[in-house]
Amino acid sequence: MATQEGPRRRSWRDRTNRAVHGATARVDGQTEDAARRAVTVIVPTVRLLRVPSLVLALAPVPFLVATVVLGLAAGGATGTVLAVVALVVALAPVAFAVRRLRLLRAVEEPEQLATELGIAVSLSDRVEEARGALTSIAGGGGLRFVSRLKGVWSGVGMTGRWIDGVDDLPRARWFVPPKIGTTVSITIATLWSVPVSALLAFFTAVAAIAGSL
C-alpha cells in the first residue's frame, strides 16, 4: 500500500502545480508585485510565530490531561462530566495545532505562495479591491497578524466561484477567506481553552479530594 500511495500523492501534487502554473497567465504585473511584497511579510511572520503558537497549542494540555485523569479516578457523575467536558475543550487546541502545521507548510515555498496569492486575486470579481487588500498585508506583521490578515480582506466581496477557486490553491488558501476567518476563530477558541481548562482541572481536583474524604 505504501509503495502505491507515494506515486498517487506525487501525481496529485503534479496536477495541482500544473493547474497553478496554467493560471499564472491571468496575473498582471501589479498583482504579481503586490503578492511578492505580501509574502515578504507573511513568510517571516508565520515562521516567527512558530514557537509562540506551539506554546499556545500545548498550554491547555496539562490541565486537560489532569482533568480527565482526576475525573475518571474520582468516579461518579461529576467526575465523568468534567472529564467529558475536558475532552470537548481539547478539540480547540487540537484544531489549532493542525491549522498551525498547515500554515507552516504553506510558507515553506515562498515563490509558489506568491504565485498562488496572485492567482487568488485574479480570480476575484473585484480585482482592484482584492489587490488593495493584498497590498495592505505588507503593512506589517506582529502577534495579531492572523486577525489583521482577516481584517484586510473584509472589504473584498467573496463569491462562491472565488471560494471554490482559491480552495484549489494549496498554499494561498490558508491566507485568504474563508479559511483565514476559521483560523481566527480557532485561535480565539484555543486562547479561551487555557483558562477554561485550568478551571476544569481545579474543580476536578476539588471533586477528587471531596470524594476521597
Side-chain angles (χ1 to χ4, degrees):
M1 293 295 293
T3 57
Q4 293 179 353
E5 188 159 359
R8 286 180 184 173
R9 289 180 178 175
R10 287 196 297 271
S11 176
W12 174 84
R13 185 173 180 178
D14 289 341
R15 288 198 302 271
T16 301
N17 287 335
R18 282 198 299 270
V20 168
H21 291 316
T24 55
R26 287 185 282 180
V27 182
D28 59 76
Q30 286 182 307
T31 300
E32 183 179 356
D33 182 62
R36 291 185 182 279
R37 281 188 279 123
V39 165
T40 61
V41 173
I42 292 174
V43 172
T45 302
V46 172
R47 290 175 177 172
L48 180 65
L49 294 175
R50 180 192 300 265
V51 174
S53 61
L54 179 61
V55 172
L56 176 58
L58 295 177
V61 172
F63 300 116
L64 294 172
V65 171
T67 299
V68 172
V69 172
L70 291 174
L72 294 178
T78 301
T80 302
V81 169
L82 288 171
V84 171
V85 172
L87 292 175
V88 173
V89 173
L91 294 176
V94 168
F96 179 78
V98 172
R99 186 56 59 94
R100 172 183 175 274
L101 287 175
R102 288 174 174 170
L103 289 171
L104 289 172
R105 288 174 182 169
V107 301
E108 287 177 353
E109 299 173 295
E111 287 296 325
Q112 286 81 354
L113 175 58
T115 299
E116 291 182 18
L117 284 173
I119 293 171
V121 169
S122 70
L123 291 174
S124 173
D125 291 333
R126 296 149 133 200
V127 174
E128 292 286 340
E129 293 180 13
R131 186 192 299 128
L134 195 63
T135 300
S136 65
I137 292 173
L143 291 175
R144 295 179 58 85
F145 176 70
V146 176
S147 297
R148 185 175 173 279
L149 197 57
K150 177 188 175 184
V152 298
W153 287 109
S154 60
V156 179
M158 295 182 296
T159 63
R161 183 183 67 83
W162 189 68
I163 292 174
D164 291 339
V166 297
D167 201 48
D168 291 331
L169 303 172
R171 302 171 187 85
R173 62 180 176 173
W174 304 110
F175 302 100
V176 298
K179 291 194 184 306
I180 190 62
T182 305
T183 300
V184 172
S185 300
I186 292 173
T187 302
I188 294 173
T190 305
L191 286 168
W192 273 105
S193 73
V194 178
V196 170
S197 61
L199 286 174
L200 282 173
F202 172 76
F203 287 125
T204 307
V206 171
I209 294 172
S212 65
L213 295 178

